[in-house]
Amino acid sequence: MLNPFCAAFMLALEAQKVMELRLVRIAWGGADARSEMMSMVGEKVVAAMEAVNTVMAGGSHDQVLARYRELVADNTRRLMRA
């Protein structure tokens, strides 16, 4: 994206949908809720390490934002199916 603020804003909007879908899944309880809570933590750690690696390898903030948006889109698709 040309404007990094636009990409960051879009990420914030897209992440809201994932938060909504995750909260609904957690509210229903059961095994799905437990696995979702565990995956939330793991995904954040892996995504943060990936972002650090990208920056340390000379990547830009645009690349980091693009990757985060991919991960958020993947989560949205996964949670919408279930």
Side-chain angles (χ1 to χ4, degrees):
M1 239 177 216
L2 295 176
N3 187 343
F5 296 107
C6 183
F9 181 73
M10 291 302 297
L11 174 62
L13 291 178
E14 294 159 355
Q16 288 294 316
K17 184 65 175 177
V18 172
M19 287 187 265
E20 173 193 352
L21 293 168
R22 281 186 160 160
L23 286 173
V24 169
R25 179 165 289 187
I26 291 168
W28 279 101
D32 286 341
R34 280 190 290 280
S35 66
E36 190 62 37
M37 287 187 284
M38 294 297 291
S39 71
M40 281 184 348
V41 174
E43 288 173 2
K44 285 173 180 38
V45 171
V46 170
M49 289 189 307
E50 190 177 318
V52 168
N53 287 338
T54 299
V55 172
M56 288 179 67
S60 68
H61 63 278
D62 288 331
Q63 290 172 311
V64 172
L65 281 174
R67 179 64 181 143
Y68 269 110
R69 288 186 71 200
E70 287 174 15
L71 295 171
V72 168
D74 291 344
N75 275 323
T76 302
R77 280 189 291 276
R78 178 181 59 81
L79 292 164
M80 293 288 281
R81 281 187 283 138

